[in-house]
Amino acid sequence: MKKILFPTDFSEVANNAFIHALEFAKIVKGELLLLHTYDFPIVNSQFAPENFYTIFDSLQLAEFEMFKEEIPKLREVAKKRNLDHIKLSHKLMEGDLIYGIKKVLKEEDIDFIVMGTSGATGWESFFIGSNTGSVVATVDVPVLSVPVEAQFDKIETIGFTTRFRDKDKDSLRQVIKIAKKTAAKKVVKKKAPAK
């Protein structure tokens, strides 16, 4: 059974991508591992160390409570789409998203990552970057990046980007298998003849 990592911050972007992750799990006969990471704010503990631990305990509890509230909502989404048979497991981790994903990739046998993207562009992308872009650039498993405005529909066309590295061949083989399962069209762009 294929294992799909679904990083989520429970935002509108992530919740839209969750539907794609469920449908993708159905296609590849997979299960979903939901990952939510959170960072603690930087606090100067030099002057009040006893308050320092109270702040972190309350922040950790707040993240846990939010996590507990959001997971049933995602399960309800799966039920409404008649996909509640898809196995869902979840992890709540303290730390940076990229660190969390890399840690899960080491601990679990992950075949794919599905995550949403808000499409940061221009100066926003230059200064803060894109979580999805960072994941695509740093992991060695295929990543399905779902734009916030993309509503799920039958998969008809699959695009595959590559740098023509040897390690890309395995990912391409997986994409071809998925294309066959979904009867997706192969789109080939031909170069215009040289004049």
Side-chain angles (χ1 to χ4, degrees):
M1 179 175 280
K2 299 288 185 187
K3 198 173 247 188
I4 301 160
L5 179 61
F6 176 68
T8 182
D9 59 1
F10 305 110
S11 64
E12 179 186 340
V13 173
N15 291 344
N16 179 57
F18 179 66
I19 294 168
H20 292 260
L22 283 169
E23 295 286 353
F24 186 68
K26 178 177 134 185
I27 291 166
V28 299
K29 295 181 176 41
E31 62 182 89
L32 290 177
L33 172 58
L34 282 64
L35 171 66
H36 177 66
T37 62
Y38 62 95
D39 273 330
F40 285 129
I42 298 170
V43 177
N44 185 346
S45 64
Q46 162 183 353
F47 300 108
E50 63 280 352
N51 291 339
F52 179 76
Y53 291 109
T54 304
I55 291 169
F56 281 98
D57 285 346
S58 64
L59 288 171
Q60 198 167 28
L61 182 61
E63 283 291 334
F64 178 71
E65 290 298 323
M66 188 264 303
F67 185 73
K68 272 185 10 184
E69 290 172 11
E70 294 297 327
I71 294 297
K73 292 176 187 175
L74 294 179
R75 290 187 186 278
E76 189 60 32
V77 169
K79 187 175 181 181
K80 285 181 182 175
R81 296 190 70 87
N82 294 318
L83 296 171
D84 50 338
H85 63 280
I86 293 173
K87 182 180 175 187
L88 296 177
S89 53
H90 35 80
K91 284 185 183 249
L92 175 65
M93 294 175 64
E94 188 238 323
D96 173 73
L97 174 67
I98 304 299
Y99 168 80
I101 289 173
K102 286 182 175 180
K103 186 169 189 217
V104 170
L105 290 176
K106 284 181 186 173
E107 295 171 355
E108 306 278 343
D109 188 21
I110 300 295
D111 298 290
F112 302 98
I113 297 173
V114 177
M115 62 189 299
T117 180
S118 60
T121 59
W123 288 108
E124 179 186 12
S125 176
F126 178 77
F127 285 112
I128 64 170
S130 155
N131 280 332
T132 306
S134 297
V135 171
V136 169
T138 59
V139 301
D140 288 330
V141 298
V143 178
L144 175 61
S145 172
V146 181
V148 67
E149 69 278 354
Q151 299 302 308
F152 184 81
D153 200 0
K154 180 185 178 302
I155 297 173
E156 294 178 357
T157 306
I158 298 175
F160 180 79
T161 59
T162 181
R163 295 183 192 156
F164 300 102
R165 302 169 296 188
D166 282 339
K167 69 179 187 175
D168 294 344
K169 290 177 184 175
D170 288 334
S171 297
L172 179 58
R173 284 185 195 100
Q174 289 182 26
V175 169
I176 290 169
K177 285 180 188 175
I178 294 164
K180 286 179 181 175
K181 287 181 181 183
T182 62
K185 297 177 203 166
K186 181 179 177 185
V187 178
V188 178
K189 286 193 171 191
K190 295 181 179 180
K191 290 184 178 182
K195 292 184 181 182

